[in-house]
Amino acid sequence: MKLSSLPGGLAVAALSALSFGTSGALVKPLLEAGWSPAAAVTVRALTAGLVLLPLAVVALRGRWAALWLARWRVLGMGVVGVACTQLAYFAAISTIPVSTALLIEFLAPLILVGVAWAVSKRMPRPAVFLGSALAVGGLVLVIGPGAIQAVDPIGLTFAFLAAIGCAAYFFIAARPDRDLPPVALAAFGLIVGGVILGVLGATGLLSFTATFGDLPLFGALAPWWVPVVLLVLVSTAIAYATGITAAGVLGSRLASFVGLLEVVFASLFAWLLLGEQLTPLQLLGGLLILGGIAAVRSERAEALPPEEPPQHDVAIVASGEATAAASAH
């Protein structure tokens, strides 16, 4: 299976969602042990970027000019896709329920659909509307119907900013660039985001605390660095590298819909590792999300000639989606 194929891109996108989905089960013991969210995210991003750095250098093969030419893309990934999105999300959950913030943040696929509609002046096909309805309905069921409630307007604002940042992440990752390898964008984007968060923590603008004792993990006591290592390698390095690769193949819209599987995988890991039980409604929600992804995928298959790679879809709407990315700054 070629990576440039639609099935290959879907498989890599699912792997990215699976990897991102482990973060909640790994971060929760750290937060309960006294780590601040800013400290956990900074260590996660900066260390993962350093882990990917040797792979990025090998992939570049001395073509540093490509990195310089893509400097604004790398900066956008670090500032918007990593730092701003995380900060907005944590600001949101400080005043509104986590489930509500997640529900709003994962409306990013609808933002991309709306921007493409506004710019192209062409109404999306019925399959896109069907996929959007199924995905949002499934998302509500997975997170919990109780997420829909009256909440603090400031928290809602930050949650919507996180959704815009999430949409910008998929847009930046999906922009066609033959010279900059996906692993290089992931590595340098994470490093930029980690440095920014670290500076904000060092200046006192963000709470920055960490503990270094044993903590409960998977039903036993483990050193603090065990969840950190897993968080860095699996939930961040692999997640971002595969996510950026998949977005380049699938385009921002379809990749963002597949990204909704992160919520499903997060629920599964919380059940397997933290003992948080899954309900029949959550299982039904997962099936609805899969149905939404299938609907959007079928629309892409009809819209593109067989000989055209999915990458061309990104070029068609890139100028329009750039507006969404710019609005996230």
Side-chain angles (χ1 to χ4, degrees):
M1 177 185 299
K2 293 183 179 180
L3 185 57
S4 59
S5 68
L6 182 59
L10 288 171
V12 176
L15 175 60
S16 176
L18 175 67
S19 301
F20 274 123
T22 64
S23 62
L26 295 173
V27 166
K28 188 171 182 178
L30 291 171
L31 297 180
E32 291 178 343
W35 283 64
S36 66
V41 173
T42 301
V43 171
R44 173 187 182 182
L46 188 57
T47 309
L50 294 176
V51 168
L52 290 175
L53 186 58
L55 299 177
V57 171
V58 172
L60 283 169
R61 292 178 291 186
R63 293 178 288 113
W64 297 106
L67 181 62
W68 174 250
L69 291 174
R71 60 190 181 278
W72 297 115
R73 189 180 177 209
V74 173
L75 183 62
M77 177 61 71
V79 173
V80 181
V82 178
C84 287
T85 303
Q86 293 292 331
L87 287 177
Y89 172 70
F90 285 130
I93 64 176
S94 65
T95 59
I96 65 176
V98 173
S99 58
T100 305
L102 276 176
L103 178 61
I104 294 173
E105 181 180 359
F106 277 92
L107 294 178
L110 303 187
I111 294 177
L112 292 174
V113 170
V115 170
W117 184 1
V119 172
S120 67
K121 309 299 182 183
R122 291 181 299 179
M123 181 180 295
R125 297 192 177 196
V128 175
F129 286 115
L130 175 61
S132 300
L134 289 175
V136 172
L139 189 61
V140 171
L141 292 180
V142 172
I143 293 175
I148 302 178
Q149 54 183 291
V151 291
D152 179 67
I154 296 179
L156 281 178
T157 300
F158 278 115
F160 277 111
L161 288 176
I164 294 174
C166 186
Y169 157 75
F170 284 110
F171 162 73
I172 294 170
R175 292 190 62 186
D177 191 333
R178 297 181 179 179
D179 295 324
L180 186 67
V183 68
L185 176 59
F188 290 102
L190 285 167
I191 290 173
V192 169
V195 168
I196 291 173
L197 291 172
V199 170
L200 292 175
T203 56
L205 295 176
L206 294 176
S207 175
F208 209 88
T209 58
T211 59
F212 304 101
D214 292 344
L215 44 76
L217 183 69
F218 308 153
L221 287 178
W224 64 271
W225 53 265
V226 173
V228 170
V229 169
L230 292 174
L231 184 67
V232 166
L233 294 180
V234 178
S235 307
T236 312
I238 294 176
Y240 271 94
T242 53
I244 291 172
T245 301
V249 175
L250 301 176
S252 56
R253 185 174 62 192
L254 182 54
S256 66
F257 272 88
V258 181
L260 292 174
L261 289 176
E262 177 187 339
V263 182
V264 179
F265 286 128
S267 299
L268 288 174
F269 282 116
W271 171 48
L272 294 173
L273 303 179
L274 301 178
E276 298 180 3
Q277 295 297 317
L278 288 174
T279 67
L281 283 179
Q282 286 180 305
L283 296 175
L284 176 60
L287 293 176
L288 289 178
I289 291 176
L290 289 175
I293 294 170
V296 175
R297 175 187 174 182
S298 68
E299 185 272 341
R300 283 178 54 89
E302 295 174 2
L304 294 175
E307 67 273 8
E308 276 191 318
Q311 185 69 50
H312 290 285
D313 180 68
V314 183
I316 293 173
V317 298
S319 60
E321 291 177 347
T323 306
S327 66
H329 286 273

